[in-house]
Amino acid sequence: MFSLKEYSQEIFATGILILALISLRIIIAKLIRNYAKTTHLFEHRTNLVIKYVHLLMNTLFIISLIVIWGVETKDIFITVSSITTVIGVAMFAQWSILSNVTSGMILFFSFPFRIGDTIKIHDKDFPIEAEIEDISAFHVNLRTKEGERIIYPNNLLLQKGISILPIYHQEEKEFVD
């Protein structure tokens, strides 16, 4: 029969872990939002980064629960290796998705360019000069002077040379960064 006294340490540790997870989620979300405000980043990009960080935290939470409740190491190894194999095959087939999400996170925190900037992508075969309309988790929406809309993968933005072109105000006849 199940006894609360028998599992009191595990229940107490689980309660503390849940409180820590909730507290950390709130604190980290506030820190990311404050960072986004000071760097003038858009809210939907901020929410995307918060979602990814929460996913990582939830994964660590589940691993911690497994450790607290003393699941056999052999069972954990079998489960993890099975899941890793399935994920590995899926990611190998879709490596660009993971690459683009990772690049999106790097672009969020390093922000070499922002929405509204006009950039020139130095690609030998297909050079592009366009204004950034939106930056999402997987790609950047660009608009050329001719009105053409280009969807450009985030991982290529980190691989190609990019120039951020200055904004030229006609009435002031000067360049502004």
Side-chain angles (χ1 to χ4, degrees):
M1 184 79 183
F2 175 72
S3 169
L4 280 177
K5 191 172 187 179
E6 184 179 345
Y7 295 106
S8 62
Q9 286 183 333
E10 289 87 354
I11 293 170
F12 181 72
T14 301
I16 289 175
L17 188 63
I18 290 170
L19 289 174
L21 175 70
I22 293 169
S23 301
L24 281 173
R25 284 178 64 133
I26 292 169
I27 291 168
I28 289 175
K30 284 184 179 182
L31 288 172
I32 292 172
R33 287 187 200 288
N34 287 340
Y35 176 80
K37 279 183 187 176
T38 58
T39 56
H40 307 291
L41 296 173
F42 288 92
E43 186 175 345
H44 71 278
R45 286 188 62 206
T46 304
N47 291 335
L48 216 74
V49 169
I50 290 171
K51 185 169 85 172
Y52 295 145
V53 170
H54 284 177
L55 181 66
L56 175 66
M57 290 174 67
N58 290 339
T59 303
L60 293 174
F61 173 77
I62 290 170
I63 292 169
S64 299
L65 279 180
I66 290 170
V67 170
I68 287 172
W69 285 92
V71 177
E72 293 291 323
T73 308
K74 153 184 98 149
D75 296 336
I76 292 173
F77 180 73
I78 291 170
T79 303
V80 169
S81 64
S82 299
I83 291 171
T84 305
T85 301
V86 170
I87 291 173
V89 169
M91 287 302 165
F92 181 74
Q94 296 296 326
W95 69 269
S96 63
I97 291 175
L98 182 61
S99 175
N100 283 321
V101 170
T102 305
S103 298
M105 294 286 284
I106 292 169
L107 290 174
F108 178 82
F109 286 109
S110 68
F111 58 97
F113 37 78
R114 300 173 185 213
I115 294 173
D117 284 351
T118 301
I119 62 171
K120 182 176 184 178
I121 301 171
H122 303 283
D123 188 338
K124 186 175 103 174
D125 298 324
F126 302 103
I128 298 171
E129 186 174 316
E131 180 181 339
I132 299 174
E133 288 188 333
D134 190 24
I135 303 172
S136 69
F138 299 101
H139 58 270
V140 173
N141 292 328
L142 302 169
R143 178 88 52 193
T144 64
K145 291 178 185 174
E146 296 79 29
E148 179 183 13
R149 185 171 174 226
I150 300 172
I151 309 299
Y152 205 78
N154 285 339
N155 62 343
L156 291 181
L157 284 175
L158 294 179
Q159 294 173 13
K160 305 287 182 187
I162 295 177
S163 298
I164 301 172
L165 303 175
I167 301 169
Y168 183 72
H169 290 286
Q170 293 293 333
E171 62 277 353
E172 299 171 8
K173 296 195 189 304
E174 64 181 43
F175 288 99
V176 179
D177 282 325

